Amino acid sequence: MSLFRKFFGSNNPDSEGDKDKEFSKFSPDHDAPIEEQFIYTFKKNGGKFLYCENQAEVNEQFENILEENDWFEGEALCYEPELFTLLEENKITHQKTKNPAFLLANCENLIADEGSILFSSKQIKQNKPNELPANIIIIATTSQIIGSKSDGLSVIKKKYIKDYPTNITTIKYFEKVEEEDFTQYGSTAKNLYLLLLEDQ
């Protein structure tokens, strides 16, 4: 049984608060499974995590995010043709946009030890994180969770034998800190939603 199904159950009616209580027992213990490490650190960094058992749930959660933020019939930044249908079904312009409300993208990997999202030019072209919209929706799968950034670079190296991507970067902070934190110097906080699709 999947670790995520164990925590969330199928079509779990629990409130977000109950889920938070469930995750509050997690600690960044390096002996814990990498899924636990990722969820704990990602949420600690301010990321919004939505578990999806199948593609229908991904579509439903995506629509919920659009409704919550009033992004229907707006503009989005998206470079990946396989995601265009999701935008077009919700009447969201994604070509020649001037003022995108959000970025919709896949990612290379989810990094457990720092709770970050690893991107390359395949998802964000040559944009630096501070050049991307403040709001980001990521669609990823549970099999993309890996231990560390160096593991992520190894995966990219194996995945792209030819046409190796450039602009490999991570986004780690998902909310602005109230106090100045030197660890976030030079980083741009993003309002990030992660739709995590079960594929294991």
Side-chain angles (χ1 to χ4, degrees), residues 11 52-59 197-198:
N11 298 319
C52 305
E53 272 200 325
N54 51 50
Q55 189 60 46
E57 286 186 16
V58 169
N59 296 351
L197 175 62
E198 176 69 57

Side-chain angles (χ1 to χ4, degrees), residues 76-88:
L77 184 64
C78 183
Y79 297 113
E80 298 165 273
E82 64 271 22
L83 298 177
F84 290 170
T85 305
L86 199 54
L87 295 168
E88 289 160 2

Side-chain angles (χ1 to χ4, degrees), residues 50-187:
L50 299 157
Y51 169 71
C52 305
E53 272 200 325
N54 51 50
Q55 189 60 46
E57 286 186 16
V58 169
N59 296 351
E60 183 185 342
Q61 293 289 10
F62 179 69
E63 288 175 16
N64 291 342
I65 293 167
L66 296 180
E67 188 174 352
E68 178 186 323
N69 294 283
D70 195 23
W71 289 338
F72 282 109
E73 300 183 22
E75 293 184 356
L77 184 64
C78 183
Y79 297 113
E80 298 165 273
E82 64 271 22
L83 298 177
F84 290 170
T85 305
L86 199 54
L87 295 168
E88 289 160 2
E89 285 172 353
N90 292 287
K91 299 183 180 162
I92 295 170
T93 307
H94 57 85
Q95 294 179 350
K96 297 182 181 174
T97 57
K98 292 179 182 168
N99 191 22
F102 63 95
L103 166 73
L104 176 65
N106 291 312
C107 65
E108 293 296 340
N109 286 106
L110 307 171
I111 310 298
D113 67 354
E114 61 179 34
S116 64
I117 314 287
L118 182 66
F119 295 100
S120 76
S121 54
K122 300 291 183 185
Q123 296 89 36
I124 61 173
K125 299 294 184 194
Q126 296 307 316
N127 292 305
K128 295 183 177 84
N130 64 345
E131 296 168 337
L132 297 170
N135 304 298
I136 298 177
I137 303 173
I138 299 300
I139 299 174
T141 59
T142 52
S143 62
Q144 287 179 280
I145 300 174
I146 55 172
S148 67
K149 207 182 287 183
S150 60
D151 295 334
L153 296 175
S154 298
V155 170
I156 288 173
K157 200 171 180 182
K158 286 178 192 164
K159 183 177 174 185
Y160 302 102
I161 298 163
K162 293 179 181 175
D163 192 24
Y164 195 76
T166 56
N167 194 25
I168 297 167
T169 188
T170 58
I171 295 180
K172 180 177 177 180
Y173 301 106
F174 312 115
E175 64 185 2
K176 287 186 175 151
V177 289
E178 291 181 19
E179 294 176 21
E180 208 168 302
D181 181 350
F182 76 92
T183 62
Q184 291 196 24
Y185 181 75
S187 301

